[in-house]
Amino acid sequence: MTIIVTGGAGFIGSNYIFYLLEKHPEDRIICLDKLTYAGNLSTLASVMDKPNFRFVKLDICDREGVYQLFEDEKPDVVVNFAAESHVDRSIENPSIFLQTNIIGTSVLMDVCREFGIGRFHQVSTDEVYGDLPLDRPDLFFTETTPLHTSSPYSSSKAGADLLVMAYHRTYGLPVSVSRCSNNYGAYQFPEKLIPLMIANCLADKPLPVYGEGLNVRDWLFVDDHCKAIDLVIRKGREGEVYNIGGHNEMRNIDIVKLICHELGKSESLITHVTDRKGHDMRYAIDPTKIHTELGWLPETKFEDGIRKTIRWYLDNKPWWAEIISGEYQNYYAKMYGDREHLR
Ligand code: NAD
Ligand code: DAU
């Protein structure tokens, strides 16, 4: 099979490419990525020379470029990871989120229709369901939970999901959608909670916890997410949504304390700062459908996954040190400079 992986120079997309090249050496993998601030070609350095891998720098919104790539490669499957992915950035500047996440997805699907793709898979998020209250631990997101978004990011992802399902119903495009909870692991951009806290801890910088830090996320090791997506594209049913989650709910404050502990740093680095606008309280996935239909279960325990992740950031400092030495400094000053230190 020839598989186009969009957004493959980002966090989950790159891990998925590594997974594919190892598990399915018979497949040809094309990475299509615009290389935005979040895309990093050095992440893919170890696979660049593989004969069954090709990298193409391209914007998914560039209709002619995407058409030409399909003409050249005649892909069987497209897995769409490409997106603007950071909630805080979407609050500052929604328009690029609408452009990439909705328009870009529609361009890809239009070209998929013209070329008669075998499967278009949309990598979506649990954030499309909104949030759950902290005092109802019995509630979980299922695939039939209504979409109820909070941020421009989650709204753009929900818009794309609706469009994907509409292309299935209207044009018969063979699609699938997966909605996953928070991922962690190697190569995550240091704007996200876990790598940001690791990098700050190592530099003895304040650890900016939004509000009280009581918000709950359902953390999943990235390799487990990659395995789930791969099962969905190969064995999942067309026109279906699959939730993916680790049954691993944790409060932000507990994650940050754990990182301090693992790195031997004092919890006095923790600084409570102004909360995120519209901050979702709790995400919790019910992964029963993907378990019963496809036999998927998360394999990595959080204690093991977080230690592996911290180890990876310790061993790969040049990768993230270069990122945080550039434009990231302006981003950090803008996003965190104005936040009041609550305590
Ligand atoms: P990321 O920000 O690390 O990577 C995004 C990648 O997409 C980058 O390589 C970037 O260059 C590329 N990209 C952005 N705009 C593009 C465009 N217009 N054309 C081509 N490439 C473009 O994101 P991530 O955390 O790896 O997330 C990947 C996907 O998974 C996203 O769709 C996200 O919504 C979804 N998701 C993420 C998580 C998570 O916890 N990170 C959880 C569930 C779902
Ligand atoms: O649930 C899936 C989603 O998970 C994905 O769709 C998104 O692409 C991904 O970015 C992630 O969204 P979150 O907003 O949950 O992730 P983030 O790492 O930005 O924040 C996790 C929690 O930590 C959230 O409650 C906000 C909080 N936080 C985050 C940062 C960056 C802090 O308290 N301080 C911080 O500096």
Side-chain angles (χ1 to χ4, degrees), residues 9-12 33-34 36 39 59-60 81 85 124 153 157 183:
F11 166 44
I12 310 174
D33 199 296
K34 184 184 174 184
T36 67
D59 185 338
I60 57 169
F81 290 92
S85 69
S124 187
Y153 163 69
K157 293 295 288 186
N183 283 214

Side-chain angles (χ1 to χ4, degrees), residues 193-206:
L193 180 77
I194 288 180
L196 184 144
M197 296 300 168
I198 296 173
N200 282 18
C201 238
L202 289 172
D204 293 309
K205 281 175 64 178

